[in-house]
Amino acid sequence: MKSCKFSTFFFTLCFSYAFACTFTVTNNCPYTIWPGTLAGAGTPALATTGFQLDSGQSVRIPSIPGWSGRIWARTGCNFDASGVGSCQTGDCGGRLECDGSGASPPASLFEITLGTGDEKDFYDVSIVDGYNLPLLAVPQGLYGQCNATGCASNINMGCPKELQVEGGEGNVVACRSACEAFGSDQYCCSGEFANPTTCRPSFYSSIFKRACPRAYSYAFDDATSTFTCKAYEYSIIFCPLNGTKKMNNAITAPKVDESRYGKTAGTLSSSSSSLVLPFSLIIFFTFSLYL
């Protein structure tokens, strides 16, 4: 019995160190999006930093223990054969591959720091820098259920006029933060407002918070917006409530650099049988965001 318990403990320990989680990015929007990824300071870039994702497609991207960074989606993009172009929202330096450039606000962000060993992951969905698309983040826990988070509401539909970003046809394609729109220290939580005592929720951040209770709405919104988990996979779904499409045309992430990620990472890339959450579960997780 002792030998069995030791073997189980040893396997769990080795598994947690040898395998990192995978990010499964799904486009449930009725149009093409261009996801981008940005690694935090001190962590390497993921296997891809930007790519096209057509409606109904998903892609799996491997990570490494301790990785920290952001994932978001760009909209209204046009790129030439060399990957140079621009996007209406979430642009990252005018290139298909973001290559170390972050999202130009406004953009809805998934942010995460993966734990190493038995340390937990810390993750959130942030609309502090504004909003462009609804998204849902659902972790698959190693040791039990973890909390989903996100912003499933279409904030663009109720965005105040002074925060609206309009597309070429006059439709609202994004909703700016009050910080970006007005630039004041009070809205940006800077200067004398650069602490949780003086920087309080504003009229505008409260609109975001009512629409998306679990998402970051301003800089010091930690108490209701940061979550922890030890997960082997995070499903990141853009436009989670847009119909019941069957995601059976998953695509593969670019080839993993084994010198950076190790030989096990390559086994985590996507295949045509990539598992995607059933629509009923998407509805369940989305409803839970408002509880």
Side-chain angles (χ1 to χ4, degrees):
M1 181 65 69
K2 288 183 179 179
S3 176
C4 180
K5 287 182 178 179
F6 176 79
S7 297
T8 302
F9 170 78
F10 182 77
F11 173 79
T12 302
L13 184 63
C14 289
F15 182 87
S16 63
Y17 274 95
F19 293 89
C21 77
T22 301
F23 301 120
T24 299
V25 183
T26 298
N27 178 16
N28 203 32
C29 304
Y31 44 78
T32 299
I33 62 174
W34 289 261
T37 72
L38 176 67
T43 60
L46 294 178
T48 177
T49 62
F51 54 97
Q52 178 176 317
L53 195 62
D54 293 334
S55 179
Q57 287 187 329
S58 64
V59 64
R60 303 184 72 193
I61 307 172
S63 64
I64 59 171
W67 189 83
S68 178
R70 296 174 165 185
I71 298 174
W72 72 97
R74 297 164 285 174
T75 63
C77 301
N78 284 290
F79 297 105
D80 63 21
S82 65
V84 176
S86 63
C87 301
Q88 280 188 327
T89 71
D91 199 19
C92 57
R95 299 194 63 86
L96 176 61
E97 288 270 357
C98 295
D99 289 330
S101 295
S104 297
S108 313
L109 305 172
F110 171 68
E111 304 176 313
I112 190 167
T113 296
L114 297 174
T116 57
D118 289 330
E119 295 176 351
K120 289 186 175 181
D121 312 330
F122 288 81
Y123 60 99
D124 66 78
V125 166
S126 174
I127 47 179
V128 173
D129 293 335
Y131 167 101
N132 68 334
L133 283 177
L135 76 116
L136 177 67
V138 184
Q140 307 296 319
L142 277 172
Y143 310 119
Q145 186 174 350
C146 298
N147 287 311
T149 187
C151 182
S153 299
N154 187 348
I155 292 180
N156 291 338
M157 293 183 64
C159 181
K161 181 68 175 178
E162 57 271 30
L163 303 184
Q164 292 178 3
V165 176
E166 294 186 351
E169 299 179 356
N171 57 314
V172 178
V173 296
C175 190
R176 295 186 294 171
S177 68
C179 174
E180 185 193 1
F182 308 119
S184 69
D185 287 350
Q186 180 178 359
Y187 289 132
C188 296
C189 292
S190 57
E192 63 178 298
F193 296 94
N195 65 77
T197 302
T198 56
C199 184
R200 308 301 300 167
S202 69
F203 166 76
Y204 295 105
S205 70
S206 296
I207 293 175
F208 286 8
K209 195 65 175 179
R210 285 194 297 270
C212 299
R214 290 196 181 188
Y216 260 91
S217 59
Y218 75 106
F220 297 104
D221 199 10
D222 305 69
T224 59
S225 306
T226 301
F227 299 89
T228 61
C229 178
K230 189 63 178 178
Y232 62 88
E233 182 172 4
Y234 284 86
S235 296
I236 304 162
I237 307 163
F238 292 96
C239 305
L241 294 182
N242 190 66
T244 58
K245 294 175 182 174
K246 183 179 179 183
M247 307 296 179
N248 59 358
N249 52 340
I251 59 177
T252 304
K255 181 175 175 60
V256 178
D257 181 357
E258 292 186 356
S259 66
R260 183 196 302 169
Y261 291 94
K263 292 183 178 179
T264 57
T267 65
L268 298 176
S269 3
S270 134
S271 69
S272 59
S273 59
S274 176
L275 176 64
V276 179
L277 292 177
F279 186 70
S280 58
L281 281 182
I282 294 176
I283 292 290
F284 170 78
F285 286 126
T286 303
F287 177 76
S288 71
L289 301 183
Y290 300 94
L291 300 179

